Amino acid sequence: MPYRHTVRQKTYVFDDLKTLLARATPLRSGDLLAGVAAQSAEERVAAQMALADLPVSTFLTEAVVAYEQDEVTRLIIDTHNADAFAPIRHLTVGDFRDFLLAHTTTTDTLTKLSKGLTPELVAAVSKLMRNQDLISLSAKCEVITRFRNTIGLRGRLRTRLQPNHPTDDARGIAASLVDGLLYGSGDAVIGINPATDHVQTTVRLLEMIDTVRERFAIPTQSCVLSHLTTTLRAIEQGAPVDLAFQSIGGTEAVNTSFGVNLALLREGWDATRSLNRGTVGQNVMYFETGQGSALSANAHHGLDQQTAEVRAYAVARAFDPLLVNSVVGFIGPEYLYNGKQIIRAGLEDHCCGKLLGLPMGVDVCYTNHAEADQDDMDTLLTLLGVAGVTFIMGIPGADDVMLHYQSTSFHDALYLRYRLQLRPAPEFETWLMQMGLLNDQGQLLSVSAGHRLLAGISR
């Protein structure tokens, strides 16, 4: 059905819900490229006003991608929790925004509510928020997951230690690995992007990380970010798989472009859980997403890229992941043109993921052909720290030599921990102190050349 709103005696008409959502979205290059963006600031305001007046129940009756055409839509509708949704059913989207930001709406309330929210509604309400609102709401959400340590506790910041190497060289990976551990990085996961998606490479890297982890009794988890089918074959060969990784999107078509569907994701989930390698929990999935992936695959069905992104979080939610990571600036300026757009998108992704009950991290990153620089990333990093981001990346020098993009360094994580008085995951923090790498005030300690971690890795 069409939606209307009048501004200065001009009536704007939006043909359907997905058009309304697209026109209400803050400006970004990907929506301009797709031809779905508002044509003026006035049209954007009109769409936001119309969206604010829309009953939240509309999102249960009007699909933005047809139920018959898309298994992600079917997942969203068929698994909707009506009881959890009931307390807000009478609200408009604007009322819902006010409810979320009210001081009387607690973390416990948001946790219970998350099970009843659809991704399209969450995307819609975020479009009515300033950056300040996104940060405030995110900070009220607490999502806790567990494998070998506890992730998501308030007052803590975790990092993914990312020791990538352009040729998957074991010595190069080991050098980055020990560097990160000495800086207190790696409590979210030690995760390698392999240069090649070969089963034997995946198995070799998994065995290498696991040998280091077991030698020093490190309470963390490892992951080689190979395709899920490669991970399944590695499991068949007896590889020490802690987490199964997969990039996912918000439509069936984009997941098809990634070579997966819901059935394959469930197969990977079941296979990895069957290994029973977790010590404090069994959240075994690691998902990565990013605004623009649906459009880049021509699989967006006319959706704006943020709404398509949030639908990916419904896919992730179905598999109780340990970690979800928005690689926000990785795809390039065709989708997020400059630092302003990357900052806004990072705050949106983090907030929407948390509101849907996900352990949301953000790769604070950009490519060198975007109109962005490290100062923009410092700003986003700091804002996400205030917002309670679950984890960030830890990369030597913030420069990934294999994937060729700019991210966050071990030092960036220390900056955030020190300035905001954040600590590592509790089990990992205890290990750092036992290894003489951290004092009881949370400050990193220097080590000598003879430190057992250095000596052990060199062997």
Side-chain angles (χ1 to χ4, degrees):
M1 62 170 288
Y3 301 95
R4 296 177 171 83
H5 194 82
T6 301
V7 178
R8 294 192 299 185
Q9 299 183 328
K10 180 176 181 178
T11 299
Y12 290 89
V13 180
F14 310 99
D15 291 339
D16 51 28
L17 182 57
K18 70 179 177 183
T19 301
L20 178 63
L21 290 168
R23 302 296 193 270
T25 305
L27 180 66
R28 62 207 61 195
S29 54
D31 293 337
L32 291 171
L33 180 65
V36 302
Q39 295 302 300
S40 66
E42 183 173 277
E43 184 185 15
R44 184 172 298 107
V45 169
Q48 291 171 339
M49 295 297 290
L51 187 60
D53 291 338
L54 197 67
V56 297
S57 58
T58 305
F59 292 88
L60 303 181
T61 59
E62 184 175 349
V64 296
V65 182
Y67 182 94
E68 298 77 14
Q69 297 177 1
D70 189 85
E71 68 173 359
V72 176
T73 298
R74 294 193 289 275
L75 172 71
I76 293 166
I77 293 175
D78 294 348
T79 62
H80 181 252
N81 188 322
D83 291 337
F85 183 75
I88 65 162
R89 189 180 184 95
H90 62 289
L91 299 177
T92 65
V93 178
D95 293 333
F96 182 43
R97 172 193 176 276
D98 294 342
F99 167 82
L100 292 172
L101 295 173
H103 296 303
T104 52
T105 300
T106 64
T107 298
D108 184 60
T109 300
L110 294 173
T111 301
K112 293 175 181 176
L113 181 64
S114 67
K115 299 177 178 60
L117 299 179
T118 69
E120 294 88 353
L121 172 57
V122 169
V125 75
S126 75
K127 297 175 194 295
L128 305 182
M129 293 185 182
R130 297 164 51 190
N131 287 0
Q132 178 187 117
D133 300 331
L134 297 170
I135 293 166
S136 296
L137 177 56
S138 300
K140 288 202 291 185
C141 298
E142 186 176 45
V143 181
I144 298 172
T145 57
R146 296 177 174 88
F147 190 76
R148 285 198 191 91
N149 59 34
T150 305
I151 291 173
L153 293 171
R154 191 170 277 123
R156 297 187 181 264
L157 173 70
R158 294 133 299 264
T159 61
R160 169 186 158 189
L161 174 45
Q162 186 169 307
N164 293 346
H165 192 277
T167 64
D168 293 329
D169 179 73
R171 294 184 65 184
I173 290 170
S176 296
L177 175 57
V178 68
D179 191 24
L181 291 171
L182 291 172
Y183 279 105
S185 183
D187 46 347
V189 64
I190 299 172
I192 300 172
N193 295 92
T196 59
D197 196 39
H198 296 158
V199 176
Q200 292 311 311
T201 298
T202 298
V203 172
R204 174 174 60 82
L205 294 176
L206 285 167
E207 290 175 344
M208 174 191 171
I209 305 174
D210 207 52
T211 297
V212 174
R213 183 191 62 79
E214 287 191 331
R215 180 183 299 171
F216 298 102
I218 309 172
T220 191
Q221 36 283 330
S222 66
C223 185
V224 174
L225 282 70
S226 55
H227 192 271
L228 185 57
T229 54
T230 304
T231 302
L232 283 167
R233 291 175 63 190
I235 290 173
E236 292 172 357
Q237 294 186 19
V241 174
D242 289 343
L243 308 181
F245 166 81
Q246 185 56 50
S247 295
I248 56 172
T251 71
E252 180 178 345
V254 71
N255 286 325
T256 298
S257 77
F258 288 143
V260 298
N261 55 30
L262 296 179
L264 182 59
L265 292 174
R266 184 164 296 278
E267 181 183 352
W269 186 40
D270 290 340
T272 311
R273 283 172 60 89
S274 72
L275 301 179
N276 199 33
R277 290 174 56 83
T279 56
V280 297
Q282 285 296 319
N283 298 109
V284 300
M285 301 302 286
Y286 177 14
F287 294 118
E288 285 193 348
T289 67
Q291 288 195 29
S293 60
L295 176 57
S296 69
N298 195 28
H300 61 296
H301 293 276
L303 294 174
D304 67 272
Q305 64 184 34
Q306 192 236 348
T307 299
E309 168 74 2
V310 182
R311 280 170 54 96
Y313 304 158
V315 176
R317 183 170 61 175
F319 300 99
D320 297 326
L322 181 76
L323 305 166
V324 180
N325 180 33
S326 167
V327 193
V328 66
F330 180 74
I331 302 180
E334 299 85 357
Y335 307 97
L336 296 170
Y337 179 71
N338 56 19
K340 180 180 177 67
Q341 292 184 12
I342 292 171
I343 290 168
R344 171 72 191 191
L347 295 175
E348 287 171 346
D349 293 353
H350 176 248
C351 181
C352 291
K354 282 281 189 68
L355 193 54
L356 285 167
L358 292 178
M360 204 72 197
V362 177
D363 190 342
V364 180
C365 64
Y366 66 102
T367 58
N368 284 318
H369 61 309
E371 287 294 318
D373 58 27
Q374 204 62 50
D375 287 340
D376 295 314
M377 298 305 102
D378 287 348
T379 299
L380 178 55
L381 174 68
T382 305
L383 295 175
L384 286 167
V386 175
V389 68
T390 301
F391 69 102
I392 61 169
M393 301 296 107
I395 299 172
D399 185 3
D400 193 298
V401 296
M402 197 278 283
L403 293 174
H404 302 294
Y405 78 115
Q406 309 302 311
S407 185
T408 45
S409 70
F410 308 137
H411 300 81
D412 293 329
L414 291 178
Y415 149 74
L416 211 56
R417 282 176 175 167
Y418 288 170
R419 296 284 68 79
L420 299 181
Q421 298 183 337
L422 303 171
R423 308 289 280 264
E427 300 88 347
F428 194 78
E429 181 181 43
T430 298
W431 176 80
L432 289 171
M433 289 190 287
Q434 290 171 346
M435 292 290 289
L437 301 175
L438 197 74
N439 65 23
D440 56 8
Q441 280 79 49
Q443 297 170 327
L444 202 67
L445 300 173
S446 60
V447 298
S448 66
H451 189 277
R452 54 184 168 139
L453 186 60
L454 287 168
I457 294 291
S458 66
R459 291 198 298 270

